[in-house]
Amino acid sequence: MTQSLLNDRDLEFLLYEFLDTQALLQRPRYEEHSREVFDATIDTARTVAEKYFANHNAKGDANEPSFDGESVEQIPETKEAWDAFAKAGFLAAHYDFEDDGMQMPEIILRASMAIMTAANIATTGYPFLSIGAANLIQSFGSDEQRARFIPPMQQGRFAGTMALTEPGQGSALGDITTTARITEDGSYRLSGQKMFISGGDQSITENIVHMVLAKIEGAPVGVKGISLFICPKFLVKEDGTLGERNDVALAGLLHKMGYRNTTSTVLNFGENDGAVGYLVGEPHKGLHYMFQMMNEARIGVALGAAVLGYQGYLFSLEYARERPQGRLPSNRDPASKQVSIIQHADVRRMLLAQKAYSEGALAMCLYASALFEDSHTADTEEERRDATLLLDLITPMVKSWPSKYCLKANELAIQVLGGSGYIREYPVEQYYRDNRLNPIHEGTEAIHGLDVLGRKVAMNGGAGLKLFNEAVKASLGEAEHLPAVTEFTQPMLHGLDTLNGVTEALLGNLAHDPDTTLANATVYLDLFGRVLAGWIWLKQAVVAARALDNDGLSAADLNFYRGKLQATRYYFQWELPEIDAQASLLKRLDSVPLDMRDEWF
Amino acid sequence: MTQSLLNDRDLEFLLYEFLDTQALLQRPRYEEHSREVFDATIDTARTVAEKYFANHNAKGDANEPSFDGESVEQIPETKEAWDAFAKAGFLAAHYDFEDDGMQMPEIILRASMAIMTAANIATTGYPFLSIGAANLIQSFGSDEQRARFIPPMQQGRFAGTMALTEPGQGSALGDITTTARITEDGSYRLSGQKMFISGGDQSITENIVHMVLAKIEGAPVGVKGISLFICPKFLVKEDGTLGERNDVALAGLLHKMGYRNTTSTVLNFGENDGAVGYLVGEPHKGLHYMFQMMNEARIGVALGAAVLGYQGYLFSLEYARERPQGRLPSNRDPASKQVSIIQHADVRRMLLAQKAYSEGALAMCLYASALFEDSHTADTEEERRDATLLLDLITPMVKSWPSKYCLKANELAIQVLGGSGYIREYPVEQYYRDNRLNPIHEGTEAIHGLDVLGRKVAMNGGAGLKLFNEAVKASLGEAEHLPAVTEFTQPMLHGLDTLNGVTEALLGNLAHDPDTTLANATVYLDLFGRVLAGWIWLKQAVVAARALDNDGLSAADLNFYRGKLQATRYYFQWELPEIDAQASLLKRLDSVPLDMRDEWF
């Protein structure tokens, strides 16, 4: 069995039918591009993915990086993949022409990244983090910092990391203890330990630029005292050549269940004289700056979850088509021929669920990328503001829904294969192990639940939720006139009403009893995610229904669009109804977990 | 952090309060035993578990068995554990005194096995399968077969396996192609390939007794042509010494995601002259015989799932108590002390869910073991028959509910630990990988769904379901008079009514449209499992409520019983309500997956 990377037809559908990517060509930033340029970019990504990333996905898992106390040992394909990625220009493609970039839109690059991630999520971790680190310097660094670090990061000579977490605090960034002491020349000396730093050391690039959160001595307590620093592994001289080794040491590698070819590190900063660090932007604004990288990373993590789900779906689909076993219940003749397992209703259920989760998640992530694009390049100030507000609101669900349900998709892919799904001869068990990280990093569900219910829905007077309502109602307006999708309007409206009702009930209680109101925020996050995913499916169904109204569709297109409608049907009839039990629990401010006492466990 | 094996207080509760294990002492088979003998047996299991099984759980995972083409290499602790298990008498303990056993009741041995499995599920795989294989010979073999094979299997010189699955058929046993040809001396020669045979080869015992399903030449097609054979790795001479190597060869080891220290093998029977096999019982009754082993194994697999869930629960509970991070939402002072994460409502939710799943699953498995005991040793014929009927009915759920929800428990244990849960320095990621097998082997959810809805509920005129109704109503009758648990009576009754309503609606349609009726059998299985688990929790709550009515309880006991009540509350308010969406889907004979076409994917 060969393993294809995503589904080209679906990707085309998502970019040019579900989203109107072609319309970007009307915007000044992209007027020199064309659909052909976009397609060529994605083709390049596919070629690089197939040749340099897919080749060592299993090998990197079976031969994880090791550390002998001196240097990190990695399979050589990792560096080859990095070099191919850099050579194809993907480290710089999103920069403007004047900044040595290709001025490529976000959505095309996310789609390109999706394909490479589908081939090998662990190895794509390195460029994924480096791009985010460089973006931080580009956005908030000084001219001098940009000049020194951006070009080598665009060329792939330097990689980048985000160094937030410490052993003692995990998600509670306000409590970090890494300190920064100013020196006479204006640079800082950092001291502290960071943990779970992906790509924190490796044998791929000549230098690594750590974007480090630390507290300047005397800074305010909590998140308001966090600053952001550039702290390279090797100091960089004015002429751009490498200087001496900075006081950043790899304390050790962490050994993960999956994602193994991405090193996960414990880093010691300043064990000797202090690690040289350069303040980015203003003091104490580090967390605010870092949120740019985190929000980008959140869509990226979700996209990784989506494509792992997608790969498991495609593999188990092909397996189910090829594997004969058993007969339908109505066939009592043991001498009759066995059917392919795709004929069994329960196997179809598991494939349909995977399709709903993974195609839905990919659509959701690309929609979020389109919002990101709009927030930067939409024609009017108002459009840009609205896109920002809506993206801010839905980011917690965009991060969490794919992470949760595409892990579930991978669980189902294993189940479709049965015993074969549990052995390492097939790729689905690795997808499952790789994907288990995604509900954890870039914020657990608990963190995002608190973020959306405790902050986001009420922010700006609820402007984001109002925009979400308008967007869903616009889709409902379109659906009403399409007989093929009218069946979805009532459940979608019910979903939206349920979300609004629950939100209103909870927000009314938030100020005077935050502990009880936020106790079930994770359930709220899931409910909102289900409604958002319902809308994403409704939007796809509307496009499919319109397409099916055309004459002369090829058989392949007819099947494709009908599949979208059936997946939407599955979603609305099998997945969305669970919000009712959730809403009931949320509205009554259920306190069963909150009331549980430590000593009763 | 030390890792305890299960919770002694809970095990005592389950054996002597939730179940009335002490009453077994009134039965003739156990009249020479005492509570002290039962406790000593469990203490022995705990000692063996701690000393010989827990010591290499992680090591066996990191150093899986290998095959060099000649023999299987395994870490030496595996054989030491096997020897300790055998020396402690657990391979023979369930046999009657006259058969060199200890005449120990099922429930005590299941509890003992639970402790050893909690320490190391992979290594307990060997005795688990050997006991089942020997039981088959004991039940259905000839006197001569018993005399030749049972003593060395009791002593631990020989291990046993169950060799059902073949590469070409998986769960569809009717289509196996391994053949048996009779020879002049009445023995058979077997030819064929078996796959996923756990313990099919190893370096622990001097011989391995394979219990093989095969078809005698000319047998009827389908399941009615399957016979059962004893096929040892080495032939056994009349004096009990080993003879020549049989024609059974290890084709290779399969490499699993977890459960790694249990070898999973592909075995070739009869590559040369045919493997010598001895027919057990009558021809063509092999599947019927094998069902004894499978039904025992199903409770055993569920118990394995339960204790893996339980170990993850205990570990993440201890971690949550010790790990400081963040503050409650109502605390806006960043300078205040961090709380232990167990103070966060969402962490409590995850711990409470794990408690509900794992303690509920262990209780369910032990309850099933008590039914097994009753089916053999209850005082009256009627009691034995009823226990058999009820156990037959609920076995699919007893296998499936713990396998599904204790895997979910392990997913939550990882989530409680966050990034630390994803690295191999902590045990929870191994529990998760180990537990992923349990929803697959001994019948997937799809198989058990078809079994319960297509066969079991209607069997014997629905006698099993009637008994289940009576049992639940008896608990409801008890609960009505206990103020601490009356809140659970309405949801329990609703659950039972829902199950009955759905069952009636589906059975009415089964004969004329089996394909549509059984299309969602997996959902039916889950709904029934939820109702069964609800009842298991109600029964525990009733016991806890009665205990709390007593004066003079210790603080530890007060906390323990209150914890049981809160877990019941969690179960009824958070888990059971999902049956409503499932019932709606089942009653309308939803055909969304069934209608999905291959070409639409």
Side-chain angles (χ1 to χ4, degrees):
Chain A
M1 284 169 59
T2 56
Q3 169 76 327
S4 38
L5 300 175
L6 306 183
N7 169 346
D8 295 346
R9 179 66 186 90
D10 190 33
L11 202 54
E12 189 198 359
F13 168 82
L14 293 176
L15 292 177
Y16 296 106
E17 300 174 72
F18 170 71
L19 298 170
D20 189 6
T21 299
Q22 188 118 15
L24 294 180
L25 297 169
Q26 308 304 319
R27 296 185 184 172
R29 188 172 193 252
Y30 306 117
E31 60 192 5
E32 289 181 39
H33 288 317
S34 62
R35 166 80 187 257
E36 288 68 35
V37 170
F38 292 170
D39 290 348
T41 304
I42 291 173
D43 283 346
T44 302
R46 194 176 287 109
T47 305
V48 171
E50 285 169 355
K51 188 161 178 194
Y52 294 100
F53 284 82
N55 65 335
H56 68 290
N57 190 39
K59 187 178 175 186
D61 180 65
N63 301 276
E64 66 187 334
S66 61
F67 177 52
D68 61 7
E70 291 287 323
S71 61
V72 174
E73 185 82 28
Q74 291 187 274
I75 59 168
E77 290 87 344
T78 317
K79 182 173 165 49
E80 290 162 18
W82 168 273
D83 290 343
F85 189 99
K87 197 176 162 199
F90 285 112
L91 289 170
H94 61 295
Y95 289 84
D96 287 346
F97 295 132
E98 63 178 34
D99 293 321
D100 298 322
M102 301 182 194
Q103 214 152 299
M104 197 61 67
E106 169 81 4
I107 185 91
I108 296 300
L109 295 175
R110 284 284 184 187
S112 302
M113 198 67 180
I115 295 168
M116 291 186 275
T117 307
N120 189 328
I121 198 167
T123 299
T124 48
Y126 300 101
F128 170 64
L129 287 160
S130 292
I131 290 169
N135 287 350
L136 271 184
I137 301 173
Q138 178 73 7
S139 297
F140 306 111
S142 66
D143 288 346
E144 197 262 328
Q145 288 169 345
R146 275 197 290 268
R148 190 170 301 194
F149 293 103
I150 298 288
M153 293 180 86
Q154 288 181 328
Q155 293 149 18
R157 289 174 45 223
F158 296 2
T161 76
M162 52 198 293
L164 289 71
T165 305
E166 298 179 5
Q169 40 72 352
S171 307
L173 287 173
D175 295 305
I176 59 168
T177 61
T178 297
T179 56
R181 179 173 44 84
I182 196 160
T183 63
E184 285 182 5
D185 67 3
S187 69
Y188 288 76
R189 294 296 174 275
L190 307 187
S191 305
Q193 192 176 57
K194 297 285 179 180
M195 190 169 178
F196 298 120
I197 308 310
S198 295
D201 209 347
Q202 29 83 348
S203 56
I204 304 172
T205 58
E206 58 187 77
N207 201 3
I208 302 172
V209 182
H210 304 293
M211 304 303 295
V212 183
L213 293 185
K215 290 187 170 180
I216 297 170
E217 286 177 348
V221 293
V223 294
K224 290 176 182 167
I226 297 174
S227 301
L228 176 64
F229 297 87
I230 297 169
C231 185
K233 179 177 174 181
F234 287 95
L235 299 182
V236 181
K237 296 184 200 160
E238 274 186 36
D239 64 0
T241 60
L242 294 194
E244 59 185 313
R245 187 76 158 80
N246 202 356
D247 190 6
V248 184
L250 177 60
L253 295 178
L254 298 162
H255 301 97
K256 303 190 295 301
M257 173 161 60
Y259 253 87
R260 292 191 174 181
N261 204 33
T262 308
T263 53
S264 183
T265 64
V266 180
L267 294 178
N268 289 337
F269 291 83
E271 284 181 303
N272 302 304
D273 305 328
V276 176
Y278 311 106
L279 180 68
V280 176
E282 296 175 40
H284 315 323
K285 297 210 167 161
L287 194 61
H288 170 71
Y289 302 148
M290 190 58 96
F291 262 112
Q292 172 188 296
M293 185 169 179
M294 285 198 275
N295 282 326
E296 284 177 47
R298 282 163 178 176
I299 303 177
V301 164
L303 196 73
V307 301
L308 285 173
Y310 213 122
Q311 291 307 98
Y313 163 55
L314 293 180
F315 191 89
S316 60
L317 173 60
E318 200 178 337
Y319 183 91
R321 283 174 168 152
E322 292 179 4
R323 167 79 181 176
Q325 193 180 305
R327 290 154 197 86
L328 299 190
S330 55
N331 178 357
R332 298 269 172 186
D333 176 10
S336 61
K337 197 163 168 279
Q338 299 200 17
V339 297
S340 303
I341 62 170
I342 199 171
Q343 301 301 322
H344 296 305
D346 197 58
V347 172
R348 286 194 198 173
R349 171 188 67 83
M350 293 191 282
L351 293 170
L352 202 42
Q354 289 181 70
K355 181 179 170 77
Y357 298 149
S358 59
E359 290 184 11
L362 182 58
M364 188 186 287
C365 293
L366 293 178
Y367 170 73
S369 300
L371 280 184
F372 179 89
E373 180 67 50
D374 289 347
S375 72
H376 287 81
T377 67
D379 291 335
T380 69
E381 172 80 19
E382 192 190 350
E383 285 172 279
R384 291 196 291 274
R385 191 201 58 209
D386 284 356
T388 306
L389 285 169
L390 187 51
L391 181 58
D392 264 2
L393 172 68
I394 68 171
T395 293
M397 284 69 73
V398 171
K399 158 63 176 62
S400 304
W401 192 85
S403 297
K404 178 175 180 177
Y405 291 98
C406 289
L407 175 63
K408 201 169 163 184
N410 287 151
E411 191 179 321
L412 292 170
I414 292 176
Q415 200 68 13
V416 169
L417 270 72
S420 294
Y422 194 67
I423 57 175
R424 308 204 296 277
E425 279 74 0
Y426 293 90
V428 291
E429 68 86 29
Q430 185 187 340
Y431 297 145
Y432 182 63
R433 285 186 291 106
D434 285 350
N435 223 350
R436 183 63 190 86
L437 181 58
N438 290 318
I440 298 173
H441 65 170
E442 289 308 328
T444 59
E445 285 162 54
I447 295 293
H448 287 292
L450 293 174
D451 186 37
V452 67
L453 182 56
R455 231 168 56 88
K456 293 281 176 68
V457 283
M459 221 163 56
N460 301 107
L465 190 59
K466 191 159 163 281
L467 287 166
F468 180 70
N469 270 269
E470 286 165 9
V472 174
K473 283 187 177 149
S475 300
L476 284 167
E478 296 176 84
E480 268 171 18
H481 307 293
L482 292 163
V485 292
T486 48
E487 65 181 290
F488 308 132
T489 57
Q490 190 280 329
M492 184 72 249
L493 194 59
H494 172 68
L496 188 65
D497 287 346
T498 302
L499 172 66
N500 290 330
V502 165
T503 305
E504 200 183 326
L506 290 175
L507 288 186
N509 207 54
L510 184 57
H512 79 270
D513 187 0
D515 293 337
T516 306
T517 312
L518 295 173
N520 305 319
T522 304
V523 178
Y524 179 83
L525 176 79
D526 189 65
L527 185 154
F528 202 152
R530 283 178 186 270
V531 173
L532 173 61
W535 175 54
I536 293 289
W537 271 109
L538 176 66
K539 277 170 76 76
Q540 292 185 80
V542 165
V543 177
R546 282 205 182 119
L548 285 167
D549 274 347
N550 294 323
D551 293 332
L553 286 181
S554 68
D557 272 348
L558 274 173
N559 287 330
F560 176 79
Y561 292 121
R562 284 175 182 157
K564 285 288 183 191
L565 290 182
Q566 193 71 359
T568 310
R569 197 166 288 126
Y570 168 82
Y571 189 83
F572 278 102
Q573 296 193 19
W574 284 64
E575 298 287 332
L576 194 65
E578 289 192 29
I579 62 170
D580 292 333
Q582 294 179 318
S584 150
L585 189 155
L586 287 164
K587 279 189 173 170
R588 71 170 182 260
L589 290 172
D590 181 281
S591 64
V592 172
L594 194 68
D595 295 342
M596 182 69 181
R597 297 200 199 153
D598 183 345
E599 61 271 21
W600 293 352
F601 279 109
Chain B
M1 283 171 61
T2 56
Q3 169 75 326
S4 38
L5 301 174
L6 306 183
N7 169 348
D8 295 346
R9 179 66 186 89
D10 190 33
L11 202 54
E12 190 199 358
F13 168 82
L14 293 175
L15 292 176
Y16 297 107
E17 300 176 70
F18 170 71
L19 298 170
D20 189 6
T21 300
Q22 188 117 16
L24 294 179
L25 297 169
Q26 307 304 319
R27 296 183 184 172
R29 188 173 192 252
Y30 306 118
E31 60 192 5
E32 289 182 38
H33 288 318
S34 62
R35 167 80 187 257
E36 288 68 35
V37 169
F38 292 170
D39 289 348
T41 304
I42 291 173
D43 282 346
T44 301
R46 194 174 288 111
T47 304
V48 170
E50 285 169 355
K51 188 163 177 190
Y52 294 101
F53 284 83
N55 66 333
H56 68 290
N57 190 40
K59 186 178 175 185
D61 181 66
N63 302 275
E64 67 187 334
S66 61
F67 178 51
D68 61 8
E70 292 287 323
S71 62
V72 174
E73 185 82 28
Q74 290 186 276
I75 59 167
E77 290 87 344
T78 318
K79 181 171 166 51
E80 289 162 19
W82 167 273
D83 290 343
F85 189 99
K87 196 175 162 200
F90 286 112
L91 289 169
H94 59 296
Y95 289 84
D96 287 346
F97 293 132
E98 62 178 36
D99 293 319
D100 297 321
M102 300 182 194
Q103 215 152 298
M104 198 60 67
E106 168 81 4
I107 185 91
I108 296 299
L109 294 175
R110 285 283 185 189
S112 302
M113 199 67 180
I115 295 167
M116 291 186 275
T117 307
N120 189 329
I121 198 166
T123 300
T124 48
Y126 300 101
F128 170 65
L129 287 160
S130 292
I131 290 169
N135 287 349
L136 271 183
I137 301 173
Q138 178 73 6
S139 297
F140 306 111
S142 64
D143 288 347
E144 197 262 332
Q145 288 169 345
R146 275 197 291 267
R148 190 170 301 194
F149 292 102
I150 297 288
M153 293 180 87
Q154 287 180 329
Q155 293 149 19
R157 289 173 46 222
F158 296 3
T161 76
M162 51 197 294
L164 288 71
T165 305
E166 298 179 3
Q169 40 73 353
S171 306
L173 288 173
D175 295 305
I176 60 168
T177 61
T178 296
T179 57
R181 176 173 46 83
I182 197 160
T183 62
E184 286 182 2
D185 67 3
S187 70
Y188 288 77
R189 294 295 175 275
L190 307 187
S191 304
Q193 192 175 59
K194 296 286 179 181
M195 188 168 178
F196 297 121
I197 308 309
S198 295
D201 208 346
Q202 29 84 347
S203 56
I204 303 172
T205 58
E206 59 186 76
N207 201 3
I208 303 172
V209 182
H210 303 292
M211 304 305 295
V212 184
L213 293 186
K215 291 187 169 179
I216 296 171
E217 287 177 349
V221 294
V223 293
K224 290 177 182 168
I226 297 174
S227 300
L228 176 63
F229 297 87
I230 296 169
C231 185
K233 179 177 174 181
F234 287 95
L235 299 182
V236 181
K237 296 183 199 161
E238 273 187 37
D239 64 358
T241 61
L242 293 193
E244 59 184 313
R245 186 74 158 80
N246 202 357
D247 189 7
V248 184
L250 176 61
L253 295 178
L254 299 162
H255 301 98
K256 304 191 294 301
M257 173 162 57
Y259 252 89
R260 292 191 174 182
N261 204 34
T262 308
T263 54
S264 182
T265 64
V266 180
L267 294 179
N268 289 336
F269 291 83
E271 284 181 304
N272 301 305
D273 303 328
V276 176
Y278 311 105
L279 180 68
V280 176
E282 296 176 40
H284 315 323
K285 296 209 169 165
L287 194 61
H288 171 71
Y289 301 150
M290 190 58 96
F291 262 111
Q292 172 188 297
M293 186 170 178
M294 285 198 275
N295 281 327
E296 283 177 47
R298 282 164 178 176
I299 302 177
V301 164
L303 196 74
V307 301
L308 285 173
Y310 213 122
Q311 291 308 98
Y313 163 54
L314 292 181
F315 191 88
S316 60
L317 173 60
E318 200 177 337
Y319 183 91
R321 283 174 168 152
E322 292 179 4
R323 166 81 180 175
Q325 193 180 306
R327 291 157 195 84
L328 299 190
S330 56
N331 179 357
R332 298 268 170 185
D333 175 10
S336 61
K337 199 163 167 280
Q338 299 199 19
V339 297
S340 303
I341 62 171
I342 199 171
Q343 300 301 321
H344 296 306
D346 197 58
V347 171
R348 287 195 199 173
R349 172 188 67 83
M350 293 190 282
L351 293 170
L352 203 42
Q354 289 181 70
K355 181 178 169 79
Y357 299 149
S358 58
E359 290 184 11
L362 182 58
M364 189 186 285
C365 293
L366 292 178
Y367 171 73
S369 300
L371 281 183
F372 179 89
E373 179 68 48
D374 288 347
S375 73
H376 287 80
T377 67
D379 291 335
T380 68
E381 173 79 22
E382 190 189 350
E383 285 172 280
R384 291 196 291 275
R385 190 200 60 208
D386 284 356
T388 306
L389 285 169
L390 186 51
L391 181 58
D392 264 2
L393 172 69
I394 68 172
T395 293
M397 284 69 73
V398 171
K399 158 63 177 62
S400 304
W401 192 86
S403 296
K404 178 174 180 178
Y405 291 98
C406 289
L407 175 63
K408 201 169 163 185
N410 287 151
E411 191 179 322
L412 292 170
I414 291 176
Q415 200 69 12
V416 169
L417 269 71
S420 294
Y422 194 66
I423 57 175
R424 308 205 295 279
E425 279 74 0
Y426 292 90
V428 290
E429 67 86 29
Q430 185 186 342
Y431 297 145
Y432 181 63
R433 285 187 290 108
D434 286 350
N435 222 351
R436 183 63 192 86
L437 181 59
N438 289 317
I440 297 173
H441 64 170
E442 289 308 327
T444 60
E445 284 162 54
I447 296 293
H448 286 293
L450 294 173
D451 186 37
V452 66
L453 182 57
R455 231 167 56 87
K456 293 280 177 69
V457 282
M459 219 163 57
N460 303 108
L465 189 60
K466 190 158 164 283
L467 287 166
F468 180 69
N469 270 270
E470 286 165 10
V472 174
K473 282 184 178 151
S475 299
L476 284 168
E478 295 176 85
E480 269 170 19
H481 306 294
L482 292 163
V485 291
T486 47
E487 65 180 290
F488 307 132
T489 56
Q490 190 280 329
M492 184 72 250
L493 194 59
H494 172 68
L496 188 64
D497 288 346
T498 302
L499 172 66
N500 290 330
V502 165
T503 305
E504 200 183 325
L506 291 174
L507 288 186
N509 208 54
L510 184 58
H512 79 269
D513 187 359
D515 292 338
T516 306
T517 312
L518 294 173
N520 305 319
T522 304
V523 177
Y524 180 82
L525 176 80
D526 189 64
L527 185 154
F528 202 153
R530 283 176 187 270
V531 174
L532 174 61
W535 175 55
I536 293 290
W537 271 108
L538 176 66
K539 277 171 76 76
Q540 292 185 82
V542 164
V543 177
R546 282 203 182 121
L548 284 167
D549 274 346
N550 294 322
D551 293 331
L553 286 180
S554 69
D557 273 348
L558 274 173
N559 287 329
F560 176 79
Y561 292 122
R562 285 176 182 154
K564 285 288 182 191
L565 289 182
Q566 193 70 1
T568 310
R569 196 165 289 127
Y570 168 82
Y571 189 83
F572 278 102
Q573 296 193 18
W574 284 66
E575 299 287 332
L576 194 63
E578 290 192 28
I579 62 170
D580 291 332
Q582 294 178 318
S584 151
L585 190 156
L586 287 164
K587 278 189 173 170
R588 70 172 182 259
L589 291 172
D590 180 281
S591 64
V592 172
L594 194 68
D595 295 341
M596 183 70 183
R597 297 200 199 154
D598 183 346
E599 61 271 22
W600 293 353
F601 279 109

